[in-house]
Amino acid sequence: MINIKEDEKLSIMNHSCAHLLAQAIKHLYKDAQFWVGPVIEEGFYYDIDLGDITLTEEDLPKIEKEMKKISKDGKRIVREELTKEEALERFGNDLYKVDLINRMNEEDTIISCYTQGDFTDLCRGPHVDTVKELKHFRLLKVSGAYWKGDSKNKMLQRIYGICFENEEDLNAHLEFLEECKQRDHRKLGKDLDIFMFDDLVGKGLPMWLPNGFIIRRSLVDYITDKEVSLGYKHVMTPSLGNVNLYKTSGHWDHYKEDMFPAMELDNESYVLRPMNCPHHMMMFKNSLHSYRDLPIRIAEIANDFRYEASGAVCGIERTRAFTQNDSHIFCRNDQIKEEFKAVINLILDVYKDFGFTNYSFRLSLRDKNDSEKYFGNDELWERSEKDLREVLEEVGVEYYEAEGEAAFYGPKLDVQVKSAIGHDVTLSTVQLDYQLPERFDLTYIDENGEKVRPVVIHRAILGSLDRFIAFLLEETKGVLPLWLSPIQIIVIPVSTINHEAYGKEIIGLLKENGIRVELDNRNEKVGYKMREAQTRKIPYSIVLGDNEKENKTITYRKHGSEEKITTSIDEFISVIKENIKNKNL
């Protein structure tokens, strides 16, 4: 997907088109007032106050029609520079523009506006020369947006759009957007009965339906088995903790705004945990450790809670309650490189299993100019960033650096994956931490009998299971690999009278072999049942008629294929079990 903001020509066109949208809105709704209309990666939007009028998707063609009318008129777009006093006089009737102007420093900022025909808008620019250049655009959707992004302010109406140089590029983009709709995990989650939301339960709080629970359980078993084979010890800790625990860890001072409010119980304050490291620090501290004991790898499939803004919540990709595949490795300094390398190898192994190829490694560092965002001393930060670079270079991992993306307690390596619908998603993360062992006074006894601080490596391979499943659904368009599919096989008797008994016999054999199977014995035509099985993304459909019953065979069809294959049930089960065992894609 093209990034409009990074393409200079398209960026200018889209910003100009935002003004064209605003002019059309002003023609159609004379009392409209405007906040901001920036260019974004996906095109542009404008935030508008229409008073009591609420726009819907059905209103967009009418607005587009007016935009095309203005474009054909071909007026030039003229720039004008203003003093602050002139700007306030020009836009005095628009409280949103007045707010913008009042927050401008006239000495440091050139205040400018652009006029096209009967419409003038406050703007830095630049713009195209004439509105006639804006021909190939489309308004995409309308939604709500709080003024200045603050939920305490008025809700404005945000109209999104896109503009291209020619019709071919516009149509190609619209086709891509349609493909994105079909891949959207929120649509797939609903269509395939994987998860649900309800405002009565709470925004951003997913409920996993039976199909979704099977997927989650399969993923948990998969990653747990891998971790156990690599020497991880799995634990279970509570989903909340005393506020003092988070004051010790630093979360309370540096992460409180992203946490749910504290609860007062028995003269103590408790909070739902946003992450699991403080609990794991206390587990390490619970026992005496020798240098021979290290590394100690504590792992947990843990439920966490973060108070995401309602506008940021997005299906199961970004939620307020989620489950992390989390671990903390307590090691000696001389073990850092070996352990870090092992974590990277585990990430690559997992990505290979799922066929992920479109990913990159990002070294996330602190912003030295924003000291309030991070805790700890400069010496520990510089040491951890230096060690992390050395590890990456020794392991031979290609990476790019990003200032300001570190955790508040240390630098990290993020694995950024580009989803099928263009989202840049962090799936896995590895962090090197000298700070928390210091804050929790963690020690082990070295070979000289002295107390020494361990180093902690925080790592999440699948990351948030919720986000991982969202990414997987969009990558596969809901066609999950056989081993992950909630229903792996559906058995369809041609006749419920003549073939149902044989169908139940086949069902029994499949279940005995641990295969998830369903019998469709509804009184519907076979073709209808087969089409529905395709819609439900079930990997294999078995059809049983007279020939199959008489010869003790089955006829099956893979999802997405028209080929029908007849074979013995034993041979079929053998193939399926091998497929599941090898986790074939």
Side-chain angles (χ1 to χ4, degrees), residues 344-358:
I344 291 174
N345 286 336
L346 176 55
I347 290 171
L348 296 176
D349 184 42
V350 168
Y351 286 17
K352 182 180 177 183
D353 285 348
F354 286 93
F356 298 163
T357 56
N358 193 14

Side-chain angles (χ1 to χ4, degrees), residues 90-108:
R90 180 79 64 93
F91 296 96
N93 293 326
D94 191 323
L95 68 92
Y96 301 104
K97 299 300 182 186
V98 168
D99 178 81
L100 282 172
I101 295 165
N102 282 332
R103 289 191 286 117
M104 292 179 182
N105 185 337
E106 192 173 8
E107 295 178 359
D108 300 330

Side-chain angles (χ1 to χ4, degrees), residues 313-332:
V313 168
C314 176
I316 56 171
E317 184 179 299
R318 199 175 183 97
T319 61
R320 290 174 172 171
F322 58 99
T323 303
Q324 283 202 81
N325 159 225
D326 203 14
S327 174
H328 296 90
I329 302 168
F330 301 82
C331 63
R332 306 188 306 263

Side-chain angles (χ1 to χ4, degrees), residues 460-486:
I461 306 302
L462 301 184
S464 156
L465 289 182
D466 312 69
R467 181 178 296 172
F468 190 88
I469 292 171
F471 177 78
L472 199 57
L473 287 173
E474 292 178 353
E475 279 294 288
T476 63
K477 211 170 181 178
V479 185
L480 296 171
L482 180 66
W483 69 275
L484 263 183
S485 295

Side-chain angles (χ1 to χ4, degrees), residues 27 78 80 116 130 151 238 271 358 372 395 432 488 493-495:
H27 285 184
V78 181
E80 181 182 359
Q116 49 197 57
T130 74
S151 60
V271 68
N358 193 14
E372 292 185 3
V395 172
L432 187 60
Q488 295 167 321
V494 172
S495 165

